[in-house]
Each structure stands twice: as structure tokens, then as C-alpha cells.
Amino acid sequence: MKQMIGLVVGIAGLASAAQAVPGGQLMVLTKGGWTCEVPGDAAILPIEKPELGFETIADSSYVAPDGSTGTYLRLADRVTITSGVFAGRRFQMDGEEILRELAPDDSQLNLRCVHAGPVNLSTSG
């Protein structure tokens, strides 16, 4: 009986250790189209960059505008494109619907990608 309890405790310990990921929790992006743009302000409209947009699909994968596919890795609020035509691009999440592209030194570039999903029009009260 002691051996069985030890085995169960050991297996439980391995399961919890497997969930600990350096860099944050392993996650995926919301599936669908992501429109990339240079943000605007009150006086200037955003400038869309269709050549940098993509569609996220199952299995941490994406489809580029040319139809080729690649993969990405999301750890908590950081996304790294790991293969395909956009390999090496890195982003920081701003909520679940906006990606802000990062330079090699982790500073934000002037490009954001916005999830082009349905608009949530829920009202209060």
C-alpha cells in the first residue's frame, strides 16, 4: 500500500512539473484573421499592412497572405512565430485581441495586429 501511495504521489508530482513552462503558460491565439496595421491617432487613420496579416488556425499554426503555413509559440503574453514566412517575428499581447510587434531588444515597433473576429456588442444592465 505504501508503494502504491508513493507511486501516485510521484506521478502527481510529474504532472504538475510538466505544466510549469519557463516563460509562462503555454497558450494559443484566438483563431481567425489578424489584420496588421500601423496605428493612427485622432487625426490620422491606421495604415493597413495586408502583406503582414495572417490567419490563425488549429495547432498553433497560421496561414500567411501567400497561402503558405507556419507555426507560432505563445507563452503567456508573448508570441513568437517559429516557422514559415514570418519566422522570427515576435509580439506582446495587449489583451486577447491585439498583438504589438517587438524589436530584437523587446521595444515595441510601430505595428499592431488586431484579431478580425466578431464584435462583442454586449450591453450592461
Side-chain angles (χ1 to χ4, degrees), residues 3 8 11 25 30-32 35 46 61 65 73-74 78-79 88-89 93 95 101 107 111 115:
Q3 289 177 334
V8 170
I11 291 172
Q25 182 178 358
T30 303
K31 290 181 191 170
T35 301
S61 297
L73 173 66
R74 178 179 176 191
R78 296 293 177 117
V79 176
R89 287 177 75 185
M93 300 290 301
E101 192 155 14
S107 63
L111 186 80
H115 183 250

Side-chain angles (χ1 to χ4, degrees), residues 29 34 74 76-79 91-96 98-99:
L29 293 171
W34 291 80
R74 178 179 176 191
D77 69 343
R78 296 293 177 117
V79 176
F91 300 90
Q92 181 168 1
M93 300 290 301
D94 185 355
E96 290 297 310
I98 298 174
L99 297 169

Side-chain angles (χ1 to χ4, degrees), residues 17-95:
Q19 292 180 11
V21 178
Q25 182 178 358
L26 184 61
M27 302 173 78
V28 295
L29 293 171
T30 303
K31 290 181 191 170
W34 291 80
T35 301
C36 296
E37 61 191 16
V38 175
D41 59 25
I44 301 171
L45 292 173
I47 300 169
E48 188 174 350
K49 299 290 186 178
E51 69 278 10
L52 298 176
F54 53 92
E55 179 181 354
T56 48
I57 57 176
D59 301 325
S60 296
S61 297
Y62 72 92
V63 179
D66 67 1
S68 64
T69 60
T71 57
Y72 68 87
L73 173 66
R74 178 179 176 191
L75 295 175
D77 69 343
R78 296 293 177 117
V79 176
T80 302
I81 308 293
T82 54
S83 72
V85 296
F86 294 142
R89 287 177 75 185
R90 298 178 324 111
F91 300 90
Q92 181 168 1
M93 300 290 301
D94 185 355

